[in-house]
Amino acid sequence: SNRGTSYEAIIEAYSEIISAYSEIRNNHAKKKYGKPFNILSSSEQMKVEEAFTIRISEADPTYHGKE
């Protein structure tokens, strides 16, 4: 994150990302299992979560992998 970015902006962006993943997982659950994510069995939920793993990186925006 940019060192000048407010905490509130970071939390808002994080919330949007989590919301998008929830929507994607729910849509996938409906297509694959015919029911929403929240009523899938634990093993079905795990399979959906594995298919759509949340990966968030807070890398320093000034570092581009070159030294």
Side-chain angles (χ1 to χ4, degrees):
S1 68
N2 182 329
R3 288 182 177 93
T5 304
S6 73
Y7 179 75
E8 291 80 19
I10 293 169
I11 296 302
E12 184 178 334
Y14 180 79
S15 294
E16 289 293 325
I17 293 166
I18 298 303
S19 179
Y21 268 96
S22 294
E23 185 176 342
I24 290 167
R25 287 174 171 174
N26 195 49
N27 288 340
H28 181 73
K30 287 178 182 177
K31 286 180 184 175
K32 183 163 179 136
Y33 299 104
K35 51 191 173 184
F37 179 82
N38 65 332
I39 63 170
L40 295 178
S41 69
S42 295
S43 64
E44 290 169 334
Q45 284 184 353
M46 187 181 301
K47 288 177 184 175
V48 172
E49 289 172 346
E50 288 172 356
F52 299 96
T53 304
I54 298 173
R55 293 185 179 110
I56 299 173
S57 173
E58 295 182 27
D60 185 343
T62 60
Y63 179 73
H64 300 287
K66 297 178 185 175
E67 295 191 33

